[in-house]
Amino acid sequence: TRIMPEVKKTTKQLRQVPRGRAYIHATFNNTLVNITDLNGDVLCWSSAGHMGFSGPKKATPYAAAQIVRDVAEKAKQHGVRELTVYVKGVGSGRESAVRTLNASGFTILGIKEITPIPHNGPRAPKPRRV
């Protein structure tokens, strides 16, 4: 039998990032929020499923507000004070998430819509013959 040496536990030092980006992805079924630094490295994230919402409750504005409160708490530990917000998707949690970010004490530098829009889309189905 081998005796393992005693290992000292160290607390992880969180990176201090004063300015970041918030990505809100609001789908019909869920809402996801990521906060990244300016390089795109994720500092913290949350989603409706992660917060314990299930089924149709995940896509509600209330769930989106709860997600943002959770992410805001984590982001403040990293020292984030200013955010540029990128919104993607057409879910019902879009506006609620942005409003809650503003109410959480962050300075919103800008809001940008990044929902992908098809310029022509996939090929149409062939006409139906009756």
Side-chain angles (χ1 to χ4, degrees):
T1 59
R2 196 170 148 211
I3 298 171
M4 298 298 291
E6 199 171 309
V7 179
K8 287 186 180 180
K9 293 249 181 184
T10 57
T11 56
K12 186 175 179 184
Q13 183 67 35
L14 294 176
R15 283 190 302 139
Q16 293 302 303
V17 181
R19 185 178 286 180
R21 295 178 180 163
Y23 290 91
I24 298 168
H25 188 172
T27 66
F28 289 120
N29 296 320
N30 204 349
T31 305
L32 302 124
V33 180
N34 291 317
I35 294 191
T36 69
D37 60 11
L38 295 180
N39 293 332
D41 300 327
V42 176
L43 300 172
C44 53
W45 67 276
S46 190
S47 70
H50 186 253
M51 291 294 293
F53 292 96
S54 63
K57 294 189 277 305
K58 289 200 295 187
T60 60
Y62 174 75
Q66 295 297 317
I67 295 161
V68 171
R69 283 194 196 100
D70 180 47
V71 167
E73 199 175 288
K74 295 175 188 174
K76 285 184 178 170
Q77 293 174 352
H78 287 279
V80 178
R81 291 186 302 278
E82 298 178 336
L83 286 174
T84 305
V85 181
Y86 295 90
V87 184
K88 185 180 203 175
V90 291
S92 60
R94 287 164 50 106
E95 191 176 332
S96 171
V98 175
R99 286 178 187 272
T100 310
L101 261 180
N102 188 31
S104 297
F106 293 110
T107 304
I108 306 292
L109 301 174
I111 301 171
K112 188 167 182 187
E113 173 73 34
I114 57 169
T115 304
I117 299 167
H119 289 281
N120 198 1
R123 181 173 170 168
K126 63 184 180 184
R128 186 166 164 254
R129 288 193 290 251
V130 181

